[in-house]
Amino acid sequence: MAETDREDETAAREWTGAGGGALGARQRQRPRRPVRRWRPAACALTGALAAGALGLGVAACARAAPDRSGTTPLEARPVASAAPAASAAPAASAAPAASAAPSATPRPGAAAGWRRESSLGVQIEVPADWAVNDYGCNMSDRPTVVRAQGIQTLCLTPEKPTKQVAEIGPDAPGTIKKGPEFTRRDVSLGGVSAERTEGRGADGRHFGWLRIPSRQLLISVRTHDPETTRRILDSAQLASVDHNGCPDRRPPGARPAATHPGARSAMAPPDPTSISICYYGETGDALRTSARLSGQEAAALAAALRSAAPGPNPDVNPQECLHPPTPPPADAVLLVEDAAGRGTVHVAFSGCTGRGLDNGALRARVNLPLIKLVMLPLGTGFTFNGDLSP
């Protein structure tokens, strides 16, 4: 599907008014905030395109999304939808931070036919052909991992007993089933206490839960066979730095360190070997999820970074958008690596102030096409405020 950048932004824009549910209630208590939302379709990890459902219920296929397993291409799954999606905020400051950028070089990969997924400081392995966030309104019957979904369309699409799911998320009371058919035991994840429950449910699926009380995290799995459930739970690890090189907490400091030799001449090198995308979002400092680009996908993102207009984006009118005193420095952190070294680029777009790109030496503007290059590989929704014209 061919679209102009301006058409993309128009379709992705929604002005949320006073009657708009939770967001609307929040806006009645503060200045008007023009919210644009993007809700991507579930990222399918076995084909050629990542599908994107635009705000206002327009279904569309977006750019080809990269495969994080390193073996399987991506495929589109068009989504019929009637609503939109969400994300985060930034800041600009004086001197670069002194710390070096973390390496984007991944740890040893998952076993053949499997891939790693990371969220909230924990990572698991799932079959490589499972989708990402194909869950909730209008979900298909396809197996999926669920993490960092962002804002979702509200409708009742029941989960079928044929659906296979592995989910990383906050601990929710009442999620874990109890009964003689389920066994519970205490386990340890790298010295951190956890509770593991497994068994077969009434619908025939094999269920498993791994609760980490000290982190208020829960991994929930339901599959067709006990071995798949067991293998996913066995793969769980706490990770201060995940398999894509992303720290589990948002890096401190208003600006990244300009560690790449070419940081003062360009926002990113022209031929990166890899770009890791670390997404933290608008609130909190926990890593929501990550992805790693290489080849043409990394080159396309690097080209967009290099061609960005100089200087940060203008702040949104304070009469239309609340200006927080200290927004986070970046929604996403890019770890860019090439033969000359590695560097960091902060990407800030969801707030009312401080939006733009920052590699520690240069600042530039963000626009919707560039944000989509960053966010679509993650398969999560996001929001932005104010005009983001190219």
Side-chain angles (χ1 to χ4, degrees):
M1 175 180 293
E3 296 176 312
T4 65
D5 292 343
R6 189 63 192 176
E7 286 170 341
D8 274 349
E9 183 164 357
T10 301
R13 177 179 294 130
E14 174 184 332
W15 293 80
T16 305
L23 276 174
R26 195 167 60 198
Q27 286 172 344
R28 286 194 291 271
Q29 303 170 20
R30 68 186 193 185
R32 283 188 303 122
R33 180 178 182 178
V35 179
R36 282 78 165 169
R37 300 175 178 178
W38 177 271
R39 186 176 69 83
C43 287
L45 291 170
T46 56
L49 291 176
L54 300 181
L56 306 181
V58 181
C61 287
R63 57 175 288 277
D67 166 40
R68 293 186 296 284
S69 70
T71 56
T72 314
L74 284 153
E75 175 178 63
R77 183 181 70 82
V79 170
S81 174
S87 184
S93 180
S99 59
S103 174
T105 303
R107 299 175 179 180
W114 288 67
R115 73 171 192 272
R116 287 177 177 166
E117 291 285 347
S118 165
S119 184
L120 304 175
V122 68
Q123 59 187 30
I124 59 174
E125 293 183 10
V126 298
D129 61 349
W130 280 28
V132 173
N133 288 340
D134 180 5
Y135 196 80
C137 187
N138 294 316
M139 66 176 142
S140 76
D141 200 28
R142 187 174 178 197
T144 188
V145 63
V146 181
R147 82 293 181 271
Q149 280 188 288
I151 286 181
Q152 296 295 297
T153 304
L154 294 179
C155 74
L156 179 59
T157 304
E159 180 183 313
K160 297 179 181 179
T162 50
K163 183 82 170 175
Q164 299 187 91
V165 181
E167 184 172 4
I168 303 173
D171 194 359
T175 301
I176 300 177
K177 296 183 179 182
K178 298 179 180 179
E181 65 273 36
F182 295 99
T183 60
R184 179 197 172 280
R185 57 194 172 101
D186 293 330
V187 296
S188 174
L189 286 181
V192 177
S193 297
E195 303 167 3
R196 179 163 170 167
T197 304
E198 292 173 80
R200 191 167 192 180
D203 63 11
R205 288 182 295 179
H206 295 268
F207 287 71
W209 296 272
L210 191 62
R211 169 179 280 162
I212 311 169
S214 63
R215 307 290 180 91
Q216 297 183 317
L217 289 176
L218 182 68
I219 299 169
S220 176
V221 182
R222 39 221 185 262
T223 74
H224 294 164
D225 67 275
E227 180 55 35
T228 302
T229 295
R230 188 176 304 118
R231 182 167 176 174
I232 293 173
L233 293 178
D234 285 347
S235 71
Q237 294 179 316
L238 296 177
S240 57
V241 177
D242 77 357
H243 60 292
N244 290 318
C246 294
D248 67 340
R249 308 297 294 176
R250 192 192 310 265
R255 299 191 69 183
T259 54
H260 192 276
R264 297 191 179 280
S265 58
M267 185 59 62
D271 299 305
T273 54
S274 70
I275 299 179
S276 286
I277 304 169
C278 312
Y279 178 56
Y280 298 94
E282 183 176 4
T283 58
D285 289 324
L287 177 69
R288 296 192 184 183
T289 194
S290 69
R292 180 174 179 266
L293 309 185
S294 59
Q296 293 181 351
E297 287 80 16
L301 178 52
L305 294 170
R306 290 171 62 85
S307 64
N313 294 67
D315 293 340
V316 183
N317 187 333
Q319 293 182 333
E320 297 180 342
C321 188
L322 184 66
H323 285 201
T326 53
D331 296 287
V333 172
L334 308 182
L335 307 178
V336 185
E337 194 160 2
D338 71 351
R342 61 179 182 266
T344 302
V345 179
H346 282 183
V347 185
F349 54 82
S350 68
C352 308
T353 62
R355 301 172 303 163
L357 305 170
D358 189 348
N359 71 356
L362 302 175
R363 287 190 171 102
R365 294 182 62 149
V366 294
N367 56 37
L368 186 57
L370 190 152
I371 294 171
K372 286 162 59 180
L373 288 175
V374 172
M375 296 301 296
L376 280 176
L378 302 171
T380 183
F382 61 94
T383 60
F384 63 92
N385 292 281
D387 185 28
L388 285 179
S389 302

